[in-house]
């Protein structure tokens, strides 16, 4: 799994103690992208709470992240369902009790799978909306008092799937479009309170579960379809995260930071698979992905 180490501080443009005394609260923090976002913040001085469904995985990740910087404190809070506001509230209370405050929030918990519309059930569609969109709302809601008190900042992890039509991703595209709208509304409504709200929209990030699930089989290497001619890395997302939480972005809110090497401007990455695979899936009720 892609991860950061102390060389991130040594070789980066950021000050080692940039976030000293600050605390970050991260849903989905044991996942690849959100974990590396958390690692960057901890390496730069923050303490952290990572939130997840799986208690063992979450606790293990927290202990590993805590080893990155001497004196850091990283909580792993498992058995939390972002669809349940009370579950998130409990995690927030534990974080404040043990770490003292929350300054930054990453709403990164998400669900995804490949499903064409013909085989996508209403319950499956609802499940992704509930995790990605309702979960993002619940996270912001539960952290609101701390964000207001500390004039904090929130980043929603979005996507580019709704910028154009991506086959087999109607559920996620709809959810992430809602996440973007939520972030924009909060930037306007909470701005007078000193709270900033932004989105990061990752493109194809190598080494992630999402990439493994979504990358189409066959055809030319995907990096050939990306203007910068490489796949993204979790560090690319971490660098944008540091920027948006840093004082350098103190006047940046209501934005969607796309980190994809300009890939979305090219259009769907389905390439030569379109439209034959779409016709197959939607035309044959017995076919399965």
């Amino acid at each position: 799994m892609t991860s950061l180490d102390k060389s991130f501080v040594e070789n980066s443009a950021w000050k080692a103690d940039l976030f000293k005394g600050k605390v970050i609260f991260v849903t989905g923090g044991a996942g690849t992208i959100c974990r590396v976002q958390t690692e960057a913040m901890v390496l730069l001085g923050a303490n952290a709470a990572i939130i997840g469904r799986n208690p063992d995985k979450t606790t293990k990740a927290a202990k590993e992240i805590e080893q990155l910087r001497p004196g850091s404190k990283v909580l792993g809070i498992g058995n939390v369902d972002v669809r349940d506001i009370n579950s998130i509230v409990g995690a927030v209370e534990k974080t404040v009790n043990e770490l003292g405050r929350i300054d930054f929030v990453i709403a990164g918990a998400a669900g995804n799978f490949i499903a064409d519309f013909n085989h996508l059930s209403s319950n499956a569609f609802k499940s992704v909306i509930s995790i990605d969109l309702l979960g993002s709302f619940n996270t912001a809601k539960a952290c609101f008092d701390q964000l207001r008190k500390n004039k904090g900042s929130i980043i929603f992890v979005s996507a580019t799937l709704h910028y154009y039509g991506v086959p087999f991703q109607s559920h996620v595209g709809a959810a992430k479009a809602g996440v973007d709208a939520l972030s924009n509304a909060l930037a306007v409504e909470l701005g007078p309170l000193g709270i900033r709200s932004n989105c990061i929209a990752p493109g194809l990030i190598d080494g992630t579960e999402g990439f493994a699930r979504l990358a189409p089989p066959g055809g030319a290497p995907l990096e050939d379809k990306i203007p910068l001619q490489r796949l993204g890395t979790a560090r690319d997302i971490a660098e944008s995260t540091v920027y948006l939480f840093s004082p350098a972005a103190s006047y940046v809110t209501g934005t969607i930071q796309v980190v994809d090497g300009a890939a979305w401007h090219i259009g769907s990455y389905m390439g030569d698979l379109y439209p034959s695979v779409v016709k197959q899936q939607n035309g044959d009720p017995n076919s399965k992905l």
Side-chain angles (χ1 to χ4, degrees):
M1 185 192 79
T2 303
S3 189
L4 299 181
D5 56 33
K6 294 178 181 178
S7 66
F8 174 76
V9 179
E10 298 167 357
N11 302 325
S12 77
W14 309 109
K15 295 179 180 179
D17 59 352
L18 182 61
F19 300 114
K20 184 177 181 180
K22 304 294 187 180
V23 174
I24 184 167
F25 181 93
V26 186
T27 63
T32 306
I33 288 178
C34 291
R35 171 171 174 158
V36 177
Q37 289 175 291
T38 307
E39 289 175 347
M41 296 294 291
V42 169
L43 282 164
L44 295 173
N47 292 325
I50 61 172
I51 316 305
R53 291 288 299 273
N54 186 314
D56 293 335
K57 180 181 179 181
T58 305
T59 300
K60 180 175 182 292
K63 290 180 178 178
E64 292 171 352
I65 296 170
E66 193 172 65
Q67 299 305 308
L68 292 175
R69 178 175 57 82
S72 68
K73 296 180 181 179
V74 181
L75 302 180
I77 306 176
N79 287 321
V80 178
D81 186 346
V82 296
R83 296 170 293 186
D84 179 358
I85 185 65
N86 293 322
S87 185
I88 289 284
V89 166
V92 168
E93 291 175 348
K94 181 177 177 65
T95 300
V96 174
N97 286 339
E98 297 196 26
L99 300 182
R101 59 192 291 144
I102 294 173
D103 301 275
F104 307 116
V105 175
I106 296 176
N112 195 3
F113 48 86
I114 294 288
D116 61 286
F117 179 78
N118 188 36
H119 296 93
L120 180 66
S121 71
S122 176
N123 283 337
F125 184 89
K126 179 182 178 181
S127 177
V128 171
I129 296 293
S130 295
I131 296 170
D132 290 34
L133 180 52
L134 178 61
S136 293
F137 173 86
N138 286 343
T139 300
K141 189 75 170 179
C143 293
F144 172 66
D145 286 342
Q146 283 294 305
L147 289 171
R148 177 174 55 184
K149 178 180 179 181
N150 300 314
K151 296 188 183 301
S153 179
I154 184 167
I155 290 175
F156 297 93
V157 180
S158 187
T160 63
L161 299 169
H162 51 292
Y163 298 177
Y164 54 90
V166 177
F168 314 141
Q169 291 287 274
S170 60
H171 46 319
V172 186
K176 295 303 188 183
V179 168
D180 287 1
L182 173 64
S183 177
N184 291 342
L186 293 185
V188 174
E189 187 171 343
L190 305 184
L193 304 178
I195 300 171
R196 295 186 299 113
S197 176
N198 293 284
C199 288
I200 289 180
L204 292 170
I205 305 301
D206 197 16
T208 63
E209 182 179 350
F211 176 80
R213 289 184 179 185
L214 300 177
L222 285 176
E223 51 264 43
D224 291 348
K225 301 177 182 294
I226 299 173
L228 287 185
Q229 298 292 283
R230 71 172 177 87
L231 298 174
T233 67
R235 176 166 178 162
D236 291 322
I237 308 304
E239 296 278 10
S240 291
T241 300
V242 172
Y243 164 68
L244 287 173
F245 282 147
S246 78
S250 63
Y251 201 55
V252 177
T253 189
T255 71
I256 300 168
Q257 181 68 61
V258 179
V259 187
D260 78 337
W264 82 267
H265 289 287
I266 302 300
S268 175
Y269 60 80
M270 293 294 290
D272 295 337
L273 294 176
Y274 185 85
S276 58
V277 69
V278 176
K279 291 181 177 179
Q280 178 186 13
Q281 292 302 316
N282 287 288
D284 180 1
N286 297 314
S287 67
K288 294 189 181 298
L289 287 168

